[in-house]
Every structure is written in structure tokens, then in C-alpha cells.
Amino acid sequence: MSQWQPQQSAGDGARTPRDAAQGPSKDGGPAASTTASPQTSPSGPREPGGPPPADDARAARASALRRRGVLAALLAGLLVLVAGLVIIEQLPTRYSTKSTISFAPRSQPNVSADVIELVANKYAVVASSTTSVAAGAAAASVTRKELRNALSISVAANTANLDISVSLPDANEAATAANTIAAVVSRAAADDQLIAGEITARADPVSAQLQPSRSLLRVVTVAAALLVASWVLFAARQISRRAGRTR
């Protein structure tokens, strides 16, 4: 014969399946709930209107590339400038001097200017002859080949002036060679019955021109350095832009 036993209600300490799953608390009280509560991000919500982190990283990379481009441009320009100045200082120095002979009619005033200019061209050939070059080389203590390579003879257009230019490493030697050749031409013209030749400007070593012009070469070097730096900076900016687009 079965006996009837009273059942405990939920309020009398009966454990529900949920309580059984949670287990008793340490102090014997009701078990704490283990349901996870929603948590907020420790960093807090992002400010409205602020740039996303991806845009910040892209901007930082672009800024770094621009700084590298400026640095590369400065280094390239400085390298070209230093190399150019060193090369200029290593160039051989030459001094250019010029002696001028002027031709004029000797006794016939009706000789045309074209005839005088034609005669001046004839004496230009005399100035570049082997005899004239040998005399100039002996006076300047240089070889005939060296003087031949350093000699320049020309007749100015529409004039009867014969210019004899010599460029040598020594200004005194250059002036001596030019004046010697001019003297040879003047003696040759002394026997000409049509025109007379006179040395109107002697070569002076003090007024010799330095070749090549150091000041001009320095200006060209600075311009080249600026141009190279601009090219490098432009290329760096283009690379920076392409890198920003691909990312």
C-alpha cells in the first residue's frame, strides 16, 4: 500500500532545472546567474564624423612616402652638385690670348672692302702655315703639335681684321706664341704692294681668358642639381600616389 508524500513547491526550496544547471552558491544561497551580460568595448564608441582607422593608416603611409621622396630629392641634388664641383676643379686650366692684325690699302684708296677682306683671308693661310707655327712654337717653348691644336685663326665678317688666338696652360706662353705668329704675318704683308698689315692688338697674358669658364660651369652644375632634384621629387610623388590608390 503506497503512502502519499507531499511534494515541495518551487517556493519551498525545490530546485528547478535551471537552478540545477547553475549549482548552489558558496554561502548556500540561491545560485548566481551565469548568463553573460552584453559588454561594451573598452575603447568606447568611436566619435561620430571621425576618420576610420583604415584611412588613418593610409594617410600615415602617404605622409611617410612623401617625406622619403623629399629626402631622396635632396640627396640626389646634393650628389650631383658635389660631383659637378669636383669635376670642375679637376678640369685642366687653359688661358686664351688673341693678337689682331688689321689690313688697309697701301697706296690705292679706291680698293674695295671685299678685296681687302679677300687679302686678309689669304694671310690667314699664312698664319696657319708650318713656318708660322714653327716660329710660334719655338718662341713659346712648346711643340708644334701642341701649338697647332691650340691655334685658332679667323677673319671677322665684313672686316679686314685677322684674329690669331692661342690657348695654352700657361698665359705667358700663349701670348708669346700669338704675338710671334702675328709678327710673321706682318712681315709677310710688308712686301705686299696692294695692302699693308699692322698689328693693332697684341696678346696680353694679364688679360688672358680662363678656359673653360669656371663661373659658367658652376652655374650649369647648380642648374643640373636642381633639375635632378625636381625629377626625383616628381617621381617620388607619383609613386606615393600610386601606392595610395592600390592600398
Side-chain angles (χ1 to χ4, degrees):
M1 180 176 180
S2 63
Q3 297 180 357
W4 175 84
Q5 294 180 358
Q7 297 181 356
Q8 294 181 348
S9 62
D12 295 336
R15 301 181 63 185
T16 62
R18 180 177 178 180
D19 294 337
Q22 292 176 351
S25 62
K26 295 181 179 179
D27 55 356
S33 175
T34 59
T35 304
S37 61
Q39 297 181 359
T40 59
S41 174
S43 60
R46 182 172 56 88
E47 296 181 359
D55 292 344
D56 291 342
R58 188 179 298 109
R61 287 193 298 267
S63 179
L65 288 175
R66 283 194 297 268
R67 288 195 298 270
R68 292 176 184 176
V70 172
L71 181 60
L74 292 176
L75 291 177
L78 183 61
L79 180 62
V80 172
L81 180 62
V82 172
L85 293 178
V86 171
I87 292 174
I88 290 174
E89 295 302 325
Q90 297 298 324
L91 289 176
T93 302
R94 301 180 70 86
Y95 296 91
S96 178
T97 60
K98 182 173 66 175
S99 183
T100 303
I101 304 175
S102 299
F103 296 95
R106 185 179 296 277
S107 60
Q108 299 179 3
N110 58 348
V111 177
S112 65
D114 294 337
V115 174
I116 297 176
E117 185 177 356
L118 182 62
V119 174
N121 283 282
K122 181 189 75 172
Y123 284 104
V125 177
V126 175
S128 60
S129 64
T130 303
T131 303
S132 300
V133 173
S141 300
V142 296
T143 63
R144 286 184 293 178
K145 181 179 180 180
E146 185 179 2
L147 181 57
R148 176 78 67 183
N149 295 331
L151 180 62
S152 176
I153 300 173
S154 62
V155 177
N158 301 323
T159 66
N161 295 329
L162 176 63
D163 295 329
I164 302 172
S165 301
V166 178
S167 299
L168 290 173
D170 186 87
N172 293 320
E173 293 178 355
T176 300
N179 291 331
T180 301
I181 295 176
V184 173
V185 175
S186 180
R187 288 194 297 268
D191 299 332
D192 197 312
Q193 299 180 357
L194 183 61
I195 62 172
E198 180 184 1
I199 302 176
T200 54
R202 291 185 175 273
D204 186 5
V206 177
S207 60
Q209 295 181 356
L210 185 63
Q211 293 182 344
S213 177
R214 294 296 194 270
S215 59
L216 178 60
L217 291 178
R218 291 189 184 99
V219 171
V220 173
T221 301
V222 172
L226 292 176
L227 184 59
V228 170
S230 300
W231 284 345
V232 173
L233 183 59
F234 176 77
R237 287 182 177 178
Q238 294 298 320
I239 294 174
S240 176
R241 291 176 182 176
R242 292 181 180 178
R245 292 175 182 175
T246 54
R247 295 179 182 178

